[in-house]
Amino acid sequence: MSDFDFISVNTIDEALDVLARPQKVTVLSGGTDVMLRIHDGRLEPSLLLDVSRIEELKGIKEKDGFIEIGAATTINEIGASELIKDNAYALYEAADVFADPNTRNRATIGGNITNASPGADGAPALFALDGEVLIKKKGGERRIPVTDYIIGSYKTVLEPDELVASIRFKPCKNSAFIKIGLRKAMAISVETVAVALFLDENKIITDCRVAFGALGPSTLRARNTEKVFVGYTPNEETFAKAQEVIAMDIKPRDGLRGSREYRFSTAHVIMERALIKAYEK
């Protein structure tokens, strides 16, 4: 483990001042992944910045027609939120199957998407919910879609002087999340899917969003598959069409937790189950 300095701050402005320094700064919030990466040498910061005491980065609220989640809000807090359960059930379900209770109590939603693991449980739900990330730096800020924030395996667009402040999305009454893991507890995803639907008064799908985890180098939106369902209802015909086009959207790889063939063969199955679950909610 390399030597590094440590600073704990109480406000976003203090954090941005530190991030503006000409040092290799690593942000620490929950620490469930950062400390492991430092310990095994994958991460060698010059300075570790603890933002876990910043209250401005915590909490879940409704604001300007959006559900807004502070980046330092824990997965456990998301899983316990009635606001999330009622308006973003896919994210609620993702939080419920996230690692184990101890990890959920420390891991944060901002850390989960910034780590950008292909199997991150929070990312597919936020992709399907069309989430946006608020990023701050000294003297400015920007807001970008979550789908543009994660750009590859363990890669994001976050610059060294920037801090993720919050994630927001519009409420969605019809969404669902399904995870395939090798065991019930502490399971890294073999594959995951999140679905968000918007329906008209006749229960026709007016907007469909499907996102997969662990079926490509990073979390991905299945945009060709989504188009199959818009203007229709879930039925044998639409599912058959979706099975034909889903190969255009996913890029499964062989891995220790599942072969490419297995992931390919099960992707449309879990997508159909999640879509029916979201539609009937």
Side-chain angles (χ1 to χ4, degrees):
M1 184 185 294
S2 62
D3 293 329
F4 53 83
D5 294 326
F6 177 87
I7 294 179
S8 180
V9 294
N10 295 304
T11 69
I12 290 178
D13 286 342
E14 289 174 351
L16 298 182
D17 285 339
V18 175
L19 287 168
R21 296 181 185 181
Q23 285 179 280
K24 189 175 181 180
V25 182
T26 294
V27 174
L28 173 72
S29 185
T32 55
D33 181 74
V34 166
M35 297 311 297
L36 288 174
R37 292 170 66 195
I38 291 174
H39 184 75
D40 64 19
R42 288 178 293 156
L43 188 62
E44 296 182 346
S46 298
L47 174 63
L48 197 60
L49 172 62
D50 180 8
V51 299
S52 63
R53 294 162 59 184
I54 301 179
E55 292 301 318
E56 300 164 89
L57 295 179
K58 301 176 183 178
I60 304 167
K61 61 186 177 184
E62 288 186 271
K63 182 180 179 182
D64 301 327
F66 289 86
I67 307 298
E68 186 173 293
I69 307 175
T73 303
T74 67
I75 302 300
N76 188 55
E77 289 168 331
I78 290 171
S81 169
E82 290 297 320
L83 188 61
I84 296 297
K85 187 175 182 180
D86 292 342
N87 295 282
Y89 197 71
L91 185 59
Y92 170 82
E93 289 187 296
D96 188 54
V97 297
F98 189 104
D100 68 286
N102 288 333
T103 303
R104 290 196 292 272
N105 200 44
R106 291 195 58 82
T108 64
I109 190 62
N112 189 237
I113 63 169
T114 299
N115 184 44
S117 165
D121 287 337
L126 292 172
F127 271 44
L129 291 164
D130 234 9
E132 298 175 336
V133 183
L134 176 61
I135 300 170
K136 294 195 174 188
K137 64 184 291 185
K138 193 171 176 64
E141 64 181 42
R142 57 181 174 141
R143 196 184 295 275
I144 63 172
V146 180
T147 51
D148 293 337
Y149 178 70
I150 298 175
I151 57 173
S153 180
Y154 300 99
K155 294 180 181 178
T156 72
V157 298
L158 193 69
E159 297 291 342
D161 62 343
E162 292 182 320
L163 178 71
V164 175
S166 63
I167 302 101
R168 72 176 189 178
F169 48 83
K170 292 279 190 180
C172 177
K173 297 297 182 182
N174 297 85
S175 70
F177 175 88
I178 290 177
K179 172 178 178 174
I180 296 179
L182 298 181
R183 59 188 187 276
K184 278 189 140 182
M186 286 300 290
I188 298 175
S189 302
V190 174
E191 59 191 84
T192 58
V193 64
V195 171
L197 302 175
F198 290 85
L199 313 175
D200 67 14
E201 63 276 8
N202 298 313
K203 298 209 72 177
I204 301 297
I205 297 171
T206 59
D207 190 12
C208 174
R209 304 176 200 143
V210 179
F212 287 105
L215 284 175
S218 61
T219 306
L220 54 87
R221 276 279 296 273
R223 297 188 185 274
N224 293 291
T225 305
E226 294 171 351
K227 294 175 185 176
V228 171
F229 298 99
V230 176
Y232 299 93
T233 61
N235 55 49
E236 290 185 10
E237 183 178 349
T238 50
F239 285 142
K241 180 63 176 177
Q243 188 172 350
E244 292 176 8
V245 304
I246 199 170
M248 300 167 61
D249 289 322
I250 61 176
K251 301 174 183 177
R253 300 176 176 181
D254 287 322
L256 295 175
R257 293 180 296 277
S259 68
R260 178 182 180 276
E261 290 74 18
Y262 172 79
R263 286 175 162 137
F264 228 119
S265 66
T266 53
H268 73 91
V269 175
I270 64 170
M271 183 275 297
E272 289 178 13
R273 291 176 180 173
L275 197 141
I276 292 171
K277 189 176 182 181
Y279 184 79
E280 295 179 347
K281 193 173 180 308

